[in-house]
Amino acid sequence: MSLKSFVRELREMKDGIGSISKRGEEGSRHWRNRTMSHIAPDQEPSPLELIQQGRWANLPPELLLDIIRRVEESETSWPARAVVVFCASVCRSWRTITKEIIRTPEQCGRLTFPISLKQPGPRESPFQCFIRRDRATSTYLLYFGLVPSEDEKDKLLLAAKRVRRAAGTDFIISLAADDFSRASSTYVGKLRSNFLGTKFSIYDSQPPCDPAARQNSRSSRRFRSKQVSPRVPACNYSVGTISYELNVLRTRGPRRMQCIMQTIPVSSIQEGGTAPTPTSFTYSIDDHLSSMSDSMRKDSTTKDFGSKIQSEPAVRASDESLVLKNKAPRWHEQLQCWCLNFRGRVTVASVKNFQLVAAVDQSHNVSVEEQEKVILQFGKIGKDIFTMDYHYPLSAFQAFAICLSSFDTKPACE
């Protein structure tokens, strides 16, 4: 069987694979409507599934390894790359081999599985994405690509919904555009602001993979542990803060912001440094409870176990945490406005536009080139359409959360 015919047959299996996806029968209904592809969970297949997958599950490992490697090398961009996800959804043996072949976005410069959205981006060329804002539903959709396509079949990466509270605003971040429940398996994190919209906290649905960062990251429950499956994480973990400088004198100029990434060490941008890279979403409530100290467990039981999280932790910039600052724009005399070089990715002037670079000092031994590299840039290109380009060491989730903070109202900063 040729590679082309094999890929064609995998595409024809799309509906069948959707029926054994993470959402079971519900997954098959959403498979054609969603551009986010999910991997089937590790569970024992039913007899019917064994009959349907028998001819695929019994392939020799050497042959299967060669086939999946060829598919991965040939399908490099979306939507064609969905075939790689189909391979991982066939059965457990296929999934194991596919996960061994697929490398992280930092290594290969490609987004494949949902966990790729929690992994650092490439070091060289940035991932270029765009955000579509829907004012009617207060939702924000992150797509992979330069600009929106005409057929509107762009690859959905993440979705966020804005929820107003008495003391601030929450942005619930999910893998699906139609499910923003904190008790859902598609929930990946949230962004919470204070009353003035000057400080934001980024919360992840799973703990940092770096043990050192995990000790500095405070957690709180999202819901009662008995309300959902044990496979769904029950806590929110603080992974970063975003601060906007107050404009007390009401002077004209762009917003000034600073981001403290608690789970990313400053050594990650040094020569030979690496950033924490999670490998899976598998983290259960039982694992969390077993790793909690008695004091933390007692403290969490005295708090509200509802969907609200604890008060914002007191996070301070340390020598170990990466700090990002917005790149200072220059004043253009002819245009009479502040300007930044977005290299053609931003076309509309807006107070929301920004570029972030690393804020380091000489003691960190970071090269000048790394200090001047734009790690994240965000800007407007049309009505309710914005671009988002991010580099290593940020992940898509972290970059999206930072950009969401720019959408919130900030009367004290403008």
Side-chain angles (χ1 to χ4, degrees), residues 20-252:
I20 61 170
S21 65
K22 170 166 55 175
R23 286 179 166 268
E25 295 179 358
E26 183 181 356
S28 63
R29 295 196 300 268
H30 292 291
W31 190 274
R32 289 181 289 273
N33 297 330
R34 294 183 185 175
T35 51
M36 171 59 68
S37 300
H38 298 284
I39 304 175
D42 287 328
Q43 57 186 10
E44 293 298 329
S46 64
L48 177 60
E49 293 170 357
L50 289 175
I51 295 175
Q52 294 175 345
Q53 302 177 21
R55 58 173 178 167
W56 301 104
N58 298 325
L59 287 178
E62 297 79 6
L63 175 61
L64 183 58
L65 179 65
D66 181 64
I67 291 175
I68 297 180
R69 181 178 288 115
R70 292 189 181 188
V71 172
E72 197 277 334
E73 293 175 352
S74 62
E75 310 297 346
T76 59
S77 59
W78 290 91
R81 194 160 178 80
V83 177
V84 181
V85 181
F86 299 159
C87 290
S89 302
V90 172
C91 61
R92 185 174 300 178
S93 60
W94 283 57
R95 177 162 55 255
T96 301
I97 294 180
T98 304
K99 291 172 67 176
E100 291 177 357
I101 294 175
I102 301 302
R103 294 175 295 170
T104 64
E106 178 189 352
Q107 297 169 333
C108 67
R110 302 169 188 167
L111 293 172
T112 307
F113 299 128
I115 192 60
S116 302
L117 305 176
K118 293 288 188 77
Q119 296 173 338
R123 291 179 180 263
E124 301 300 330
S125 301
F127 278 145
Q128 296 178 319
C129 314
F130 66 91
I131 299 175
R132 186 187 297 274
R133 175 176 58 182
D134 190 334
R135 296 175 183 267
T137 59
S138 299
T139 56
Y140 306 83
L141 305 181
L142 175 66
Y143 293 94
F144 186 64
L146 295 174
V147 292
S149 60
E150 296 180 357
D151 56 6
E152 297 185 354
K153 293 183 179 180
D154 303 292
K155 172 62 180 175
L156 176 67
L157 299 181
L158 291 168
K161 184 175 181 62
R162 184 177 181 178
V163 180
R164 293 189 179 276
R165 302 180 296 106
T169 304
D170 282 353
F171 290 87
I172 310 300
I173 305 176
S174 171
L175 292 172
D178 56 356
D179 187 359
F180 294 98
S181 172
R182 296 176 180 87
S184 171
S185 60
T186 61
Y187 174 86
V188 294
K190 71 187 301 182
L191 178 74
R192 166 162 287 189
S193 75
N194 62 357
F195 179 75
L196 295 177
T198 58
K199 186 175 181 180
F200 297 78
S201 297
I202 305 174
Y203 292 89
D204 199 335
S205 62
Q206 62 182 36
C209 57
D210 185 3
R214 187 179 305 179
Q215 295 178 357
N216 297 328
S217 177
R218 300 182 62 183
S219 64
S220 61
R221 284 191 177 271
R222 291 176 8 218
F223 42 72
R224 296 181 185 274
S225 60
K226 294 183 180 180
Q227 292 179 348
V228 294
S229 168
R231 296 184 63 86
V232 180
C235 300
N236 282 307
Y237 297 85
S238 176
V239 296
T241 58
I242 308 165
S243 301
Y244 287 84
E245 185 176 327
L246 290 173
N247 188 2
V248 180
L249 300 179
R250 311 293 294 177
T251 57
R252 295 184 60 186

Side-chain angles (χ1 to χ4, degrees), residues 236-300:
N236 282 307
Y237 297 85
S238 176
V239 296
T241 58
I242 308 165
S243 301
Y244 287 84
E245 185 176 327
L246 290 173
N247 188 2
V248 180
L249 300 179
R250 311 293 294 177
T251 57
R252 295 184 60 186
R255 297 171 177 171
R256 290 181 287 274
M257 60 187 297
Q258 183 184 72
C259 305
I260 303 175
M261 311 309 297
Q262 300 165 216
T263 58
I264 303 178
V266 70
S267 60
S268 62
I269 60 174
Q270 297 174 351
E271 185 176 358
T274 59
T277 305
T279 57
S280 68
F281 282 108
T282 54
Y283 188 81
S284 67
I285 294 175
D286 296 333
D287 295 336
H288 171 74
L289 292 178
S290 62
S291 62
M292 290 174 62
S293 63
D294 293 338
S295 59
M296 179 67 72
R297 189 178 307 175
K298 181 178 179 180
D299 180 67
S300 64

